[in-house]
Amino acid sequence: MANVLIFADQQGGSLSSYAREALAFGNLISVATNGELGSVLFGPGAETGAKETIACGASKAYTIGSPLVEDYQVEHYLDAICAAFIQSGSDILILPFDRKGKDLIGRIATRLSASAITEVVDFKAENGELIWVRPIYGDKAYGEYKSNRKKIVVGIRVKSQEQAVPDENRSGEIIPVIYTNQNDIVVAKLVEKIENSLAGIRLEDARIIVSGGRGLGGPEGFEVLKDLANVLGGTVGASRAACDAGWVPSNFQVGQTGAVVAPDLYIAIGISGASQHLSGITNAKTVVAINNDSEAPIFKRANLGVVADYKTVVPALSEELKKKLGIKVG
Amino acid sequence: MHIVVCLKQVLDPEISPRYFKIDPKTNRPEDGSSDMVMDSYAENALETAIQLRDSVEGATVTALCLGDEETEDVLRRALAFTADQAVRVWDDDWEDLDGQAVGHILAKTIIALGGADLVLTGYQASDIEEGLVGPVIAEELGNSCVTLVSELAIENSAFRVTCEAENGYAIIDVPSPAVLTIVSSEKNVPRLPKVKDIRLSRSKPIKELEADDIELDFERCQPAVSLERVYVPNRDVACEVLTGEDGMELAHELAGRLLELKVL
């Protein structure tokens, strides 16, 4: 038996999509191990989120309502998550390996002498042991890992799981955790937060993404991509090479260190398909590659391929789709 | 100011999946499948370290690598980047470490070197991609830590960093000593070393440390997770390559296929 605790982050007064993924994953583990599923929630809205996690399968929801954890502050989050994990007596702590997870997992595991494993996409229960599955070598291979310590902190790859479906008939217990650490543990001070300058849809939420790479030859190529994205009601992304070249801001970057995306349609234009880019689009449903190099690795991942100079195809595609989709020109 | 930058040698991540094979005996990529190179985020971290060193009077950069003799190439490259000192730490028992054990050993090595005001690592290495080493070093040293840093400067004696945040960026002031994990940005594109510096790097000494030279906790040097199996999935998608005489015809074909697939 292994009890599982999920760190359930909230966004806009409701559970984040990543928290719902973590809850679904945690449910599967607790069923496989005959364990109990718990959740931990932060901030003044913790009680509302706690009820949501119970509807999503948690039998115990630990809440820390302290204003110290209202906004993300790494040192407080570290302390508070460790406190809740200890109080819950759980064996497995699960966090999404998102922006916060990247800060927290290694430090929580070190602090609690637990093991840590990140970018987990699946698990297996074998002979009473849990085996954690994660991609390695830029998604070229999968590794199966076993923990050598009693407690483990697991970071799950975002967008790798289905989200938990709430059932309001489920019941559970809400347990407040007292967290009274002092403000003076805050060592890194936020000076300014700059919201993404991308107009429209966030890459992570986009249903259609038109992405450009080094093959565009310069920043002006992105104007052509913007036209196509507008026609499709999608958003524009870019490869790391295009961002590093300064053609578009780095918040356009799709890939392992940029946005991990899962759109219905991903159109890769002038993108060769470096492994770190491919890891970011693992869960894209349909991938279209437009590239004049027929040997580009992106064609191994694409469902539809066009081997041609994008300048001859993309503007014509925008025009064709405008006609077919009944969008008025201009 | 003493800046330590932790480097890693990895299999060239750009190896084509076609040539990538795993040796089932060692659970590692087959020898000869590609070159070994400095990890690209580590290279961004090195560039960031050198730029900061050059802007602060009296600052020094130590390039640190955990690895056997073959990893000296990475340290020579760091010296060609004008790192002031190169240190390699290795023990033959360390063949199968994980990120937590590596973080512990690197932290203890940094202490053995007299400590650091700033430790930089790549955000993650492109082979195992754990993203753990930087935060683990920070926790082991009791330092503050900021991950996914794209820019670094000094402001009122604190490090002012720009890092990725939910829905955008954050600018954060973090006091010394600190650990930062670095991502690539327009500001830290690795330099091309000068011929003179490459030549000099060949004759500069590399300091070697062994397990006995540092105060390690035996338990924390053991891998916390073990790799049991590795396999290469067959994930090739049968790509339908469209045909056409020119761009117009290809665009027509593609638009038609997208509508048929009902993805629009």
Side-chain angles (χ1 to χ4, degrees):
Chain A
M1 196 186 84
N3 291 332
V4 182
L5 185 72
I6 308 291
F7 173 63
D9 208 6
Q10 295 166 93
Q11 245 174 10
S14 184
L15 290 181
S16 72
S17 60
Y18 298 159
R20 287 176 193 275
E21 285 187 48
L23 282 158
F25 192 71
N27 261 317
L28 296 173
I29 295 163
S30 57
V31 167
T33 63
N34 286 320
E36 202 169 60
L37 183 70
S39 60
V40 54
L41 297 104
F42 285 177
E47 185 114 344
T48 317
K51 287 177 187 156
E52 278 188 82
T53 64
I54 288 168
C56 288
S59 56
K60 284 181 183 160
Y62 297 85
T63 56
I64 299 183
S66 164
L68 294 173
V69 286
E70 183 172 1
D71 294 317
Y72 179 59
Q73 185 56 254
V74 61
E75 302 292 341
H76 278 309
Y77 267 52
L78 261 175
D79 271 5
I81 292 176
C82 288
F85 188 53
I86 291 166
Q87 182 171 334
S88 74
S90 303
D91 308 286
I92 300 166
L93 173 65
I94 296 181
L95 296 92
F97 199 52
D98 60 358
R99 181 67 189 83
K100 290 173 190 158
K102 285 168 184 171
D103 275 357
L104 294 166
I105 290 170
R107 297 185 68 182
I108 295 170
T110 305
R111 205 168 277 196
L112 299 179
S113 295
S115 54
I117 186 154
T118 58
E119 298 279 17
V120 168
V121 295
D122 202 359
F123 77 97
K124 296 173 179 175
E126 281 179 6
N127 307 322
E129 276 190 314
L130 288 170
I131 304 289
W132 305 96
V133 183
R134 65 188 298 277
I136 49 179
Y137 298 105
D139 282 26
K140 290 188 191 77
Y142 279 89
E144 297 188 353
Y145 290 81
K146 189 180 81 176
S147 172
N148 300 326
R149 295 183 183 165
K150 194 172 172 296
K151 309 260 178 186
I152 182 165
V153 186
V154 177
I156 57 169
R157 175 176 277 200
V158 299
K159 300 233 171 206
S160 68
Q161 310 295 317
E162 296 291 332
Q163 293 180 31
V165 180
D167 172 357
E168 301 305 330
N169 294 321
R170 289 195 180 109
S171 60
E173 190 185 353
I174 296 178
I175 305 165
V177 176
I178 306 300
Y179 179 72
T180 55
N181 232 322
Q182 297 306 306
N183 270 317
D184 60 11
I185 68 162
V186 174
V187 286
K189 190 172 145 223
L190 181 68
V191 179
E192 194 182 356
K193 180 100 190 279
I194 302 154
E195 290 291 315
N196 219 327
S197 58
L198 270 179
I201 321 152
R202 286 174 74 222
L203 280 166
E204 286 88 341
D205 302 329
R207 203 180 69 76
I208 296 174
I209 298 172
V210 180
S211 239
R214 203 198 299 269
L216 296 188
E220 57 286 347
F222 278 91
E223 295 305 317
V224 180
L225 269 56
K226 274 181 200 160
D227 289 344
L228 177 59
N230 282 338
V231 171
L232 296 173
T235 197
V236 176
S239 70
R240 183 177 161 192
C243 294
D244 282 355
W247 298 347
V248 282
S250 52
N251 52 10
F252 277 54
Q253 189 181 319
V254 171
Q256 209 165 19
T257 51
V260 175
V261 299
D264 290 340
L265 175 62
Y266 187 81
I267 305 181
I269 302 171
I271 291 178
S272 64
S275 58
Q276 295 190 339
H277 190 81
L278 296 182
S279 337
I281 61 167
T282 305
N283 292 317
K285 289 196 183 72
T286 300
V287 175
V288 174
I290 301 173
N291 201 306
N292 56 11
D293 174 10
S294 63
E295 295 293 309
I298 189 75
F299 288 110
K300 288 266 183 193
R301 172 64 183 86
N303 305 84
L304 289 172
V306 174
V307 182
D309 181 350
Y310 81 97
K311 286 179 190 158
T312 68
V313 179
V314 178
L317 180 64
S318 297
E319 289 307 313
E320 185 79 14
L321 286 168
K322 269 183 204 166
K323 279 186 229 155
K324 287 197 190 307
L325 297 170
I327 297 167
K328 284 190 184 145
V329 181
Chain B
M1 178 193 295
H2 183 208
I3 307 163
V4 173
V5 56
C6 301
L7 304 174
K8 186 176 184 185
Q9 191 180 49
V10 295
L11 182 79
D12 186 346
E14 295 312 322
I15 176 178
S16 162
R18 198 175 316 172
Y19 303 112
F20 182 84
K21 291 192 175 60
I22 292 286
D23 179 342
K25 285 184 197 143
T26 60
N27 274 342
R28 288 168 192 239
E30 277 186 4
D31 282 352
S33 47
S34 193
D35 296 333
M36 299 298 283
V37 297
M38 188 191 294
D39 179 65
S40 72
Y41 293 122
E43 204 168 31
N44 294 130
L46 176 61
E47 177 63 36
T48 306
I50 296 290
Q51 286 178 17
L52 184 69
R53 189 267 324 261
D54 290 347
S55 71
V56 177
E57 204 181 324
T60 58
V61 168
T62 297
L64 170 62
C65 185
L66 188 161
D68 60 18
E69 267 177 38
E70 286 181 29
T71 61
E72 288 196 359
D73 285 351
V74 160
L75 290 168
R76 294 272 169 226
R77 183 159 172 77
L79 290 169
F81 266 61
T82 72
D84 301 280
Q85 186 188 194
V87 179
R88 183 169 71 82
V89 58
W90 183 243
D91 187 283
D92 289 339
D93 289 339
W94 293 345
E95 282 291 342
D96 290 308
L97 301 177
D98 66 349
Q100 286 176 272
V102 168
H104 173 73
I105 295 166
L106 288 175
K108 294 297 179 185
T109 307
I110 290 165
I111 292 169
L113 292 171
D117 303 291
L118 179 66
V119 178
L120 301 182
T121 72
Y123 143 66
Q124 65 173 22
S126 59
D127 48 4
I128 307 300
E129 303 164 331
E130 291 174 299
L132 287 171
V133 170
V136 169
I137 291 174
E139 198 62 21
E140 292 271 357
L141 292 174
N143 290 358
S144 48
C145 180
V146 183
T147 61
L148 300 165
V149 170
S150 53
E151 289 181 34
L152 165 64
I154 290 187
E155 193 83 23
N156 301 326
S157 75
F159 299 113
R160 175 156 289 187
V161 304
T162 304
C163 66
E164 293 177 14
E166 303 293 354
N167 304 329
Y169 296 93
I171 297 171
I172 293 174
D173 279 352
V174 51
S176 176
V179 178
L180 309 177
T181 78
I182 306 292
V183 293
S184 66
S185 75
E186 300 99 272
K187 298 277 174 69
N188 64 22
V189 176
R191 64 194 57 205
L192 280 175
K194 292 179 188 150
V195 175
K196 175 191 76 149
D197 291 327
I198 294 172
R199 209 168 40 231
L200 277 173
S201 74
R202 291 185 193 134
S203 56
K204 282 188 183 169
I206 291 176
K207 185 172 179 169
E208 292 176 18
L209 293 176
E210 296 175 350
D212 289 346
D213 300 322
I214 43 186
E215 279 186 33
L216 294 168
D217 174 334
F218 178 77
E219 286 298 317
R220 289 171 106 81
C221 291
Q222 304 307 307
V225 292
S226 308
L227 182 56
E228 300 287 295
R229 277 185 295 274
V230 180
Y231 54 93
V232 176
N234 182 10
R235 244 196 328 228
D236 285 356
V237 176
C239 180
E240 180 190 344
V241 179
L242 304 180
T243 53
E245 287 293 310
D246 55 22
M248 290 291 276
E249 217 175 289
L250 285 164
H252 179 75
E253 273 292 304
L254 180 55
R257 291 292 290 125
L258 289 174
L259 289 168
E260 273 170 43
L261 290 168
K262 296 188 173 23
V263 289
L264 299 181

